[in-house]
Amino acid sequence: MGKIKALYDHNKDFVMEVIHFGIVGVINTMMGWGIMAVLYNLIHLNYWLSTGISYFIGGVFSYHANGKVTFKVENKDKWLPYRFAANLIVCYLIAFGVAKPLVIRILAAQPAVIVDNAAMALGTVIFVALNFFGQKIVVFRKTGKRKQGTKEQRN
């Protein structure tokens, strides 16, 4: 038990970021899937418009929630919104660009509506993983000063 507690204590900040990112993500995913389902299945927008609009709206929510709750950004630099937007665009294009052809290969005999909904589900999973690390490493990265301060506080 002592080793597990020591491992947790050593990685507590990361564990808490993952938990908070998950909570924000669950809220964001429920909202996003609702928007995506309505746009694609009821309004009959195509795959790219349905997912794109949904992820844009979710991105605005995620920017504010993850900045404040997950990564606790206090001093926002002028490039933060641009890094966030670039991260979302890159993650979105990779996730949904990979998901659709992969699902088409796997479910080739299925109707397009099933293929597209399955691709949206897979795209969401890929997006979440890419987005977490993109936000942690690129968007809400800790500056050198804050990293040093954190290390000094731990020692």
Side-chain angles (χ1 to χ4, degrees):
M1 270 317 230
K3 288 183 181 184
I4 294 173
K5 181 168 178 10
L7 182 62
Y8 170 76
D9 288 342
H10 181 69
N11 296 297
K12 185 177 181 180
D13 292 342
F14 179 75
V15 170
M16 293 312 294
E17 285 176 347
V18 170
I19 290 169
H20 288 133
F21 190 83
I23 292 167
V24 169
V26 166
I27 295 166
N28 196 5
T29 300
M30 289 175 11
M31 178 179 66
W33 264 88
I35 293 167
M36 228 185 305
V38 167
L39 294 176
Y40 184 80
N41 294 305
L42 297 179
I43 298 177
H44 303 293
L45 291 181
N46 70 34
Y47 172 84
W48 288 106
L49 279 173
S50 299
T51 58
I53 291 168
S54 170
Y55 273 76
F56 174 80
I57 293 168
V60 172
F61 169 76
S62 181
Y63 173 77
H64 294 289
N66 281 319
K68 291 178 182 176
V69 176
T70 305
F71 300 108
K72 295 176 178 52
V73 174
E74 296 165 15
N75 296 322
K76 296 180 183 176
D77 67 58
K78 66 180 180 180
W79 296 105
L80 185 64
Y82 300 105
R83 286 196 312 266
F84 186 86
N87 177 67
L88 281 186
I89 291 167
V90 169
C91 292
Y92 168 77
L93 291 174
I94 291 170
F96 287 90
V98 167
K100 180 113 184 210
L102 184 60
V103 171
I104 286 172
R105 284 182 184 216
I106 295 168
L107 300 176
Q110 298 300 316
V113 69
I114 291 173
V115 170
D116 284 350
N117 278 286
M120 286 187 263
L122 179 60
T124 299
V125 171
I126 296 168
F127 178 87
V128 167
L130 293 174
N131 187 37
F132 173 78
F133 288 104
Q135 285 190 38
K136 179 166 180 57
I137 296 166
V138 178
V139 179
F140 298 114
R141 66 182 181 247
K142 307 285 188 219
T143 61
K145 252 185 186 174
R146 279 199 272 172
K147 278 185 181 177
Q148 289 172 355
T150 303
K151 285 180 186 175
E152 288 170 6
Q153 290 170 352
R154 288 183 184 163
N155 293 332

